[in-house]
Amino acid sequence: SPFRGSLHISIYDLNNALVKMISYASFPQSSNNTPTIMYLSQKLFDTDTLIEFMYVYGDISNNHYTRIYKENGTLLFSDMAAPTINLTTPEQQYPIYNTPNGTKMILSYSNGQAKVFSLGGTLSAGIAQKSHVFAGSLGNAYPNPVSATTTIPYTLPPDANEGEVVLYNTEGTEVKRFRVDNTFANLQISTNDVPAGTYYYQLLVSGNAIGIKKLIVIR
């Protein structure tokens, strides 16, 4: 799995021996968002023997992008969409399914629409599917713009007990950090000690980033 700052995927065998490292340093990056690696496989997106994987990342405007890469960096697929996970309907929890008409991938778009894509391979039971990036949610702060105190809605993934909401300036430098848990669904923060300007905030859970939102501080 990827870890913040590592820019590579480490693959281990059952004896905890390192088998392979796959770099994604040359892939699109966002300074305030850790990419999500999903569906690390060999014969899901095509049928050759190279390892392939889904690579999901976001930008500061809260746009999400889904790409499919081979281990050698070859780009198989790219679209401005997200493999959204539905937490409340188990039958629709993951974006890839085996069907009588072949293996399908469902991606969601910001306009509320979705597209279904046919894949060249087959989803096997051994392929890890779940991603924390889209399992939780981060809401829009209100009021925004804010002069004193604002409220940020959030939802942690179902298997997480705590996380952190981190505020950054436009240069990507951390300004504030707040610990959150399942006790509440909203975080109230004071901006009295923050200079007027534009900021961005995100929810971090176990090193994974959930959402990026803009916050404007006025005086």
Side-chain angles (χ1 to χ4, degrees), residues 160-173:
N161 295 319
E162 62 179 27
E164 293 177 306
V165 174
V166 184
L167 184 70
Y168 303 90
N169 62 22
T170 54
E171 297 179 350
T173 302

Side-chain angles (χ1 to χ4, degrees), residues 144-196:
N144 188 12
V146 56
S147 60
T149 303
T150 190
T151 300
I152 299 175
Y154 67 89
T155 302
L156 296 179
D159 55 352
N161 295 319
E162 62 179 27
E164 293 177 306
V165 174
V166 184
L167 184 70
Y168 303 90
N169 62 22
T170 54
E171 297 179 350
T173 302
E174 181 178 322
V175 176
K176 284 177 173 285
R177 182 178 291 254
F178 307 90
R179 186 173 297 277
V180 295
D181 57 28
N182 287 314
T183 305
F184 304 100
N186 298 285
L187 170 68
Q188 287 192 337
I189 66 172
S190 171
T191 60
N192 289 325
D193 57 344
V194 176

